[in-house]
Amino acid sequence: MSGIVAAKSAYSFYTQAQHAALKGVVDDLGERMKRIGESWKSLSDEEKAQYEEEAAKDKARFERESKARDLQVLEEQARKRAELTEMTDDRRCKKQARVESDDDDDDDD
């Protein structure tokens, strides 16, 4: 799971919808954004509700994906820790075996 797309705001959803409607009418992007901002401010709470609902759904999606990613990261970290622990244990065993072997060689003298 790479790059999770951030949750959009209600205004972002509104802007996206309005860009399509104004694209042929207002060619200048700056002017288009100005009109979209002004129209957003003039919307009633009821008119904004659909965009706020979309934003709430998108926020839930983002949180769900973030939790899944976080879980995946934690599992990967645990797996790496286990591998490192195993490697360290293997090294200790090999070192102990060398020490014991060296001790046995010294006893032969």
Side-chain angles (χ1 to χ4, degrees), residues 37-72:
E38 290 169 354
S39 66
W40 173 257
K41 290 177 187 176
S42 69
L43 291 179
S44 68
D45 288 343
E46 293 81 28
E47 291 171 313
K48 289 181 180 180
Q50 84 179 67
Y51 302 105
E52 290 168 351
E53 185 178 318
E54 287 181 66
K57 288 178 184 176
D58 198 42
K59 182 178 179 183
R61 176 217 34 99
F62 174 76
E63 289 174 352
R64 197 173 45 252
E65 290 177 5
S66 293
K67 286 180 184 178
R69 183 214 42 225
D70 292 348
L71 180 60
Q72 186 180 33

Side-chain angles (χ1 to χ4, degrees), residues 49-100:
Q50 84 179 67
Y51 302 105
E52 290 168 351
E53 185 178 318
E54 287 181 66
K57 288 178 184 176
D58 198 42
K59 182 178 179 183
R61 176 217 34 99
F62 174 76
E63 289 174 352
R64 197 173 45 252
E65 290 177 5
S66 293
K67 286 180 184 178
R69 183 214 42 225
D70 292 348
L71 180 60
Q72 186 180 33
V73 167
L74 289 173
E75 289 171 350
E76 180 66 16
Q77 288 174 343
R79 185 187 63 74
K80 286 181 180 180
R81 267 194 304 278
E83 285 177 6
L84 288 173
T85 300
E86 186 177 317
M87 288 171 43
T88 302
D89 290 346
D90 287 347
R91 286 186 192 137
R92 282 190 191 126
C93 288
K94 288 177 183 177
K95 184 176 181 180
Q96 183 63 35
R98 280 195 308 269
V99 167
E100 289 173 1

Side-chain angles (χ1 to χ4, degrees), residues 2-40:
S2 62
I4 298 171
V5 176
K8 292 182 185 177
S9 67
Y11 180 73
S12 293
F13 280 105
Y14 179 75
T15 300
Q16 186 177 8
Q18 294 304 304
H19 264 293
L22 291 175
K23 193 158 188 159
V25 179
V26 180
D27 291 331
D28 181 59
L29 180 60
E31 181 62 29
R32 199 177 323 149
M33 290 304 295
K34 181 179 175 184
R35 285 190 187 186
I36 291 170
E38 290 169 354
S39 66
W40 173 257

